[in-house]
Amino acid sequence: MRLSGKRAFLTAAAQGIGRATAEAFASEGATVIATDVNEAGLAGLPDGVESFALNVLDKDALERAVVDARADILFNCAGIVHAGTILEATDEDFDLAFSLNVKSMFRAMRAAIPGMIERGGGSIVNIASAASSIIGAPNRCVYGGSKAGIIGLTKAVAIDFVAKGVRCNAICPGTVDSPSLHERLRATGDYEGALKSFIARQPMGRIASAEEIASLAVYLASDESAFVTGQTHIIDGGWTAG
Ligand code: NAD
């Protein structure tokens, strides 16, 4: 098992990529601490997984939870999508996206790193996105800006702590099957049409499963990736390959 003896702390673990990753970390032998603002959604995680409600917008609760977790692996997953161009985005939309998607990861990393250094190192994995941070995607202005911010933080943290045993990588998924994806498709008013166009932009002709993203997260969390830091790991069915 690739994560035996490691402690992993995750945000947004109730569904989608976060849940699949909590399950994968547990099956690879990690001690898993899984959190989400939706406490009910954390039910049914594998035996042995510790879980509790945590809103990543709550600075004190987030920082306390991260420090208390004494994690070797920090998996920053919480994120929301604002749909629209710059002309449809308000200051409030911008502030919420950057607080939830970027500042929460900034705070979680700042809380985790001193303990990681003390204990000899650690691996941080931040969930960014391909959409409008790697490749322009329609109606993802504020979202893409926030995800690009995560990439910048990831590289900065990686380089600042490369000699202290702390690695930091970002994952940039293309479109991934998750509950919120289906909500976004329904919100367009043309579920089938929107699904078709999301599928069409990925040359493999399908969207990813959350488990495929979790597999990459296991690799980045494990010592198999010991020589890998500061990278944006794009996993997008060839969307940005051309
Ligand atoms: P999802 O959007 O279906 O679920 C997100 C989870 O985050 C939910 O369980 C929700 O309760 C939790 N959450 C929301 N606000 C929170 C808060 N304030 N504090 C704590 N938890 C909170 O899952 P997903 O689509 O797999 O998305 C997970 C991450 O992956 C996000 O950062 C998203 O931007 C990113 N991502 C998703 C896709 C995709 O196509 N699904 C693509 C690229 C990146």
Side-chain angles (χ1 to χ4, degrees):
M1 293 206 279
R2 292 181 288 171
L3 301 178
S4 293
K6 293 190 189 293
R7 293 174 62 80
F9 178 88
L10 300 88
T11 65
Q15 64 185 43
I17 294 168
R19 187 181 188 94
T21 304
E23 291 170 352
F25 282 178
S27 78
E28 290 291 343
T31 299
V32 175
I33 300 143
T35 69
D36 197 291
V37 71
N38 171 15
E39 189 171 16
L42 292 164
L45 282 166
D47 284 350
V49 170
E50 181 189 338
S51 65
F52 56 88
L54 176 68
N55 182 345
V56 298
L57 290 169
D58 182 338
K59 176 184 190 295
D60 292 343
L62 173 65
E63 291 178 350
R64 200 175 331 113
V66 169
V67 170
D68 289 352
R70 300 177 55 79
D72 308 293
I73 300 160
L74 170 63
F75 186 74
N76 277 321
C77 185
I80 46 155
V81 178
H82 172 266
T85 71
I86 196 167
L87 301 182
E88 282 111 33
T90 64
D91 282 9
E92 290 72 28
D93 295 328
F94 182 94
D95 289 344
L96 177 60
F98 276 74
S99 295
L100 207 157
N101 298 0
V102 189
K103 202 179 203 175
S104 72
M105 296 196 187
F106 158 77
R107 287 173 169 160
M109 290 194 285
R110 191 178 54 188
I113 288 168
M116 285 179 168
I117 294 172
E118 242 176 65
R119 294 186 295 274
S123 176
I124 300 169
V125 180
N126 295 324
I127 296 296
S129 175
S132 290
S133 47
I134 304 293
I135 185 170
N139 298 312
R140 291 292 181 268
C141 178
V142 163
Y143 178 74
S146 73
K147 293 299 188 179
I150 293 168
I151 293 171
L153 284 181
T154 299
K155 287 185 177 291
V157 166
I159 214 69
D160 283 339
F161 297 97
V162 68
K164 305 257 182 198
V166 177
R167 298 185 297 111
C168 185
N169 287 284
I171 295 180
C172 299
T175 310
V176 184
D177 198 352
S178 74
S180 74
L181 171 69
H182 294 285
E183 275 167 35
R184 287 190 288 283
L185 293 171
R186 276 192 291 276
T188 65
D190 174 15
Y191 180 91
E192 288 303 329
L195 178 59
K196 257 194 195 140
S197 79
F198 271 49
I199 289 173
R201 70 186 184 186
Q202 304 190 117
M204 284 189 190
R206 66 175 179 86
I207 56 178
S209 70
E211 289 71 23
E212 287 175 306
I213 313 304
S215 295
L216 178 55
V218 167
Y219 168 70
L220 292 173
S222 78
D223 295 338
E224 284 179 357
S225 61
F227 205 51
V228 180
T229 196
Q231 300 304 314
T232 50
H233 300 268
I234 301 170
I235 172 165
D236 68 353
W239 183 15
T240 62

